[in-house]
Amino acid sequence: MKLLDRVFYSIKEKPVKSLLILLVVCLLGTFMSASFSIYQSTINLEKKIKEDISPIVLIDWGVYVSNEEEKEKITNQIKKDERVSFVENRYGLNSRDYDLLITYENGENVLNEEHCNLLGVDNTILSDYLDNEIFLLSGEMLEQNKNEKEIFYVQISDRTVMYENLDLGDGLVFYLKPRSYTSTLNGETTIIYPPFPNLKLENIKVVGIGENNSNRDGRKYHTDETKFADSNLHYVSKYTMEQLSKLLVDVYKDITQMYPDYFYGYKLEDLGKMYLNQTYIRLKNIDDLKGFISDVHKLDKGDIKDIYSFSDSINDVGSIVDRMSLISIITLIIACVSAVILLSLVIQIFVHERRHEIGIFISLGESKKNIIKQILLEVLIIGMLGISLSVFSGNIIGSRLSEGLLDKQMEQYTQVNTNLSEDAYQLKEEEIVNAFDTSITMEYVVSVYAGGLIVLVVSCIYPTRSILKMKARKMLM
């Protein structure tokens, strides 16, 4: 009888013993597969998070004029950094006593807004567009033409009114009017208008029209609807912002001389000036994030208010991955060792019970090597069937266990991140949970089968070694 025929005959004729081995392998294989499932899910979690996250850094310089030359020097160094793929500087205006309205060239008010949100940028492509926070409906973003004042209008919320009859190439006017104040004396409230002149900047060319992406996650706080719920956002070129600043600086020189007491306590030379508010940076590789932020801190001479990125969240996710990976590895080691010990004992018992059968084969001239092969093949055939079943049962149990572990880890993550600033870049709990994938993959299946095969082979070493020491005469007695 051929070796394989004997193997299948033995399995068929000893169904109880074969079933017992199958159940032992399936049970232990389930724990092994569950450990593999948890380990694979935790490793893939960090990998997927890094793939889905854009390596973005946002430098917050503060909302005031301070050492602008040094700020520009730092950003120029950042632009030359080989790790950087995109940089956008965002500028604000120290218009302390003025509100900005935008009108058509005929003087008609475009929007009934008390204050328009103006954001100066120095790039032709907007970072908000790269981050899918805004859509380009028509035209282009900004040309950054040094000889032309440009505006890119974006409707920020459904609660605001779209420009009526606004077309590309239209000329708009920035109208600056003195900001009114209220004063209460003896229970009577009076509106006070400072005696400052009205200002206007003409010929602002509409180069593009966009719309807010309602599906955006609102990470960058300058487009947060809760803060700009009743106004739209207007991107203007750096040149446009410089012209507006020049207009204000000139008028402030006159009014600070006329009303010096009105500006007591203020740094007069900063009034009306344009200032660098934020610098948006996109890196080529997320692995450079930590080192890049460290290098930026080295360049800083006290001008940076804060730096926002996902680095802290990624580190937190890394800690979650490390803890869950450690748990899965310990579980896997325990499962493998237990499987080897239990299977070795079961196989040893079966070999001992079959010593008479083995003695007959040896007496008939069968080599001990072929007998060991037969036992090994029997165990492998039954064992691999059990491993096949455990691939699915282990994944189910592993998914339940890993979800429980993740929930516990996420409680700690949430407690830590609730103390962070709302302006900080941080991963949301839903993003982490959605990235945690426990589905059956080819990598998981291969790992389970490979691990199971090694355990089965190792489990057969000790029991089959005893066959080499057996004597046919003693086995037949």
Side-chain angles (χ1 to χ4, degrees):
M1 186 180 291
K2 293 181 179 180
L3 180 62
L4 284 177
D5 293 335
R6 290 209 313 261
V7 169
F8 287 110
Y9 179 81
S10 178
I11 294 173
K12 182 180 178 181
E13 290 300 314
K14 299 178 177 64
V16 177
K17 296 176 182 178
S18 300
L19 184 60
L20 181 58
I21 293 179
L22 178 65
L23 291 176
V24 171
V25 172
C26 189
L27 179 62
L28 297 174
T30 296
F31 285 103
M32 289 173 54
S33 302
S35 303
F36 273 121
S37 179
I38 297 172
Y39 181 76
Q40 175 193 259
S41 300
T42 53
I43 296 302
N44 289 340
L45 170 63
E46 186 172 24
K47 182 179 178 181
K48 193 171 189 303
I49 287 292
K50 287 186 175 182
E51 287 176 352
D52 293 344
I53 291 177
S54 298
I56 297 170
V57 177
L58 186 68
I59 300 177
D60 183 5
W61 302 97
V63 288
Y64 43 80
V65 179
S66 66
N67 205 1
E68 296 304 309
E69 290 184 2
E70 184 62 31
K71 290 181 185 178
E72 293 288 347
K73 182 180 177 181
I74 293 175
T75 57
N76 287 334
Q77 287 181 267
I78 289 173
K79 290 177 181 179
K80 296 176 182 177
D81 196 309
E82 293 181 353
R83 296 169 292 183
V84 174
S85 63
F86 178 87
V87 178
E88 175 189 87
N89 286 324
R90 301 167 180 168
Y91 299 91
L93 199 61
N94 186 12
S95 57
R96 176 182 176 270
D97 303 282
Y98 282 91
D99 283 331
L100 173 68
L101 293 178
I102 299 178
T103 71
Y104 290 114
E105 290 182 329
N106 61 10
E108 181 183 353
N109 194 3
V110 176
L111 280 179
N112 195 14
E113 297 176 327
E114 292 185 0
H115 183 73
C116 295
N117 300 304
L118 204 62
L119 183 65
V121 294
D122 65 349
N123 215 313
T124 55
I125 302 295
L126 300 176
S127 60
D128 288 338
Y129 175 77
L130 294 178
D131 290 344
N132 296 318
E133 294 197 14
I134 58 174
F135 292 135
L136 179 64
L137 297 179
S138 59
E140 53 191 322
M141 304 211 181
L142 294 168
E143 298 174 357
Q144 298 296 343
N145 191 325
K146 288 286 185 181
N147 300 316
E148 203 167 63
K149 297 181 285 291
E150 305 165 345
I151 182 171
F152 175 71
Y153 163 75
V154 175
Q155 185 183 19
I156 198 70
S157 168
D158 291 337
R159 290 170 285 181
T160 61
V161 182
M162 195 76 172
Y163 284 179
E164 294 182 2
N165 303 319
L166 183 65
D167 294 319
L168 297 177
D170 283 354
L172 300 179
V173 177
F174 286 172
Y175 182 72
L176 294 161
K177 70 172 186 177
R179 184 175 299 166
S180 61
Y181 300 91
T182 57
S183 175
T184 302
L185 183 63
N186 299 326
E188 294 186 3
T189 301
T190 304
I191 299 177
I192 301 174
Y193 292 93
F196 302 154
N198 294 326
L199 305 172
K200 66 178 180 180
L201 186 68
E202 300 178 298
N203 301 320
I204 315 296
K205 180 185 176 183
V206 178
V207 295
I209 299 174
E211 187 176 31
N212 172 53
N213 180 3
S214 59
N215 296 321
R216 63 178 168 77
D217 54 19
R219 283 191 183 121
K220 288 197 284 300
Y221 54 88
H222 73 268
T223 54
D224 191 343
E225 286 186 10
T226 60
K227 297 187 179 182
F228 292 139
D230 299 318
S231 62
N232 295 306
L233 189 63
H234 309 81
Y235 299 87
V236 297
S237 62
K238 182 180 179 181
Y239 175 76
T240 307
M241 189 67 90
E242 288 171 342
Q243 297 304 302
L244 195 58
S245 173
K246 183 179 179 181
L247 194 66
L248 280 168
V249 167
D250 289 343
V251 77
Y252 267 120
K253 286 181 181 178
D254 296 332
I255 60 180
T256 51
Q257 292 178 359
M258 295 173 60
Y259 309 99
D261 294 339
Y262 185 81
F263 298 98
Y264 178 77
Y266 286 90
K267 199 172 180 180
L268 301 185
E269 61 269 25
D270 290 343
L271 294 174
K273 283 188 175 180
M274 179 180 78
Y275 59 89
L276 181 57
N277 180 18
Q278 297 173 341
T279 298
Y280 172 102
I281 305 157
R282 186 182 285 260
L283 303 180
K284 297 175 182 177
N285 193 325
I286 198 167
D287 293 329
D288 294 330
L289 194 59
K290 187 175 181 180
F292 176 79
I293 293 175
S294 176
D295 291 342
V296 171
H297 279 299
K298 293 176 183 177
L299 295 174
D300 180 31
K301 296 182 179 180
D303 300 301
I304 296 177
K305 179 183 176 183
D306 213 336
I307 298 178
Y308 302 124
S309 72
F310 286 111
S311 59
D312 291 335
S313 289
I314 291 173
N315 290 336
D316 292 337
V317 172
S319 298
I320 294 174
V321 170
D322 291 341
R323 287 191 291 268
M324 294 183 66
S325 296
L326 180 61
I327 293 172
S328 64
I329 290 173
I330 293 174
T331 306
L332 179 60
I333 292 173
I334 293 173
C336 289
V337 172
S338 301
V340 169
I341 294 174
L342 289 175
L343 280 174
S344 294
L345 291 174
V346 172
I347 296 169
Q348 178 66 32
I349 292 172
F350 288 169
V351 168
H352 182 73
E353 290 182 353
R354 296 173 62 180
R355 64 186 184 280
H356 187 75
E357 175 190 338
I358 294 172
I360 293 174
F361 282 129
I362 294 175
S363 299
L364 293 174
E366 187 67 77
S367 67
K368 292 182 179 181
K369 183 179 179 181
N370 283 341
I371 295 173
I372 292 174
K373 284 182 180 180
Q374 178 183 338
I375 295 174
L376 181 60
L377 285 173
E378 290 177 15
V379 173
L380 288 178
I381 291 172
I382 298 171
M384 293 310 287
L385 178 59
I387 294 295
S388 299
L389 296 174
S390 69
V391 167
F392 301 98
S393 59
N395 181 257
I396 294 172
I397 294 176
S399 298
R400 299 292 181 271
L401 290 174
S402 57
E403 287 172 5
L405 289 171
L406 183 63
D407 288 342
K408 181 173 285 189
Q409 298 297 330
M410 288 310 303
E411 289 178 7
Q412 300 177 7
Y413 176 84
T414 303
Q415 290 174 0
V416 171
N417 283 277
T418 49
N419 298 323
L420 292 177
S421 166
E422 292 181 358
D423 298 341
Y425 281 80
Q426 50 185 298
L427 289 170
K428 296 180 181 179
E429 183 177 343
E430 309 85 65
E431 292 177 306
I432 299 175
V433 173
N434 291 337
F436 193 77
D437 184 14
T438 56
S439 60
I440 296 177
T441 62
M442 182 58 67
E443 181 183 358
Y444 163 74
V445 173
V446 171
S447 299
V448 172
Y449 274 109
L453 181 62
I454 293 172
V455 168
L456 291 172
V457 172
V458 173
S459 301
C460 291
I461 292 176
Y462 177 76
T464 54
R465 279 183 61 191
S466 61
I467 296 176
L468 298 174
K469 301 177 182 179
M470 290 181 179
K471 300 296 181 181
R473 183 178 297 178
K474 289 184 178 181
M475 287 187 284
L476 293 172
M477 290 176 63

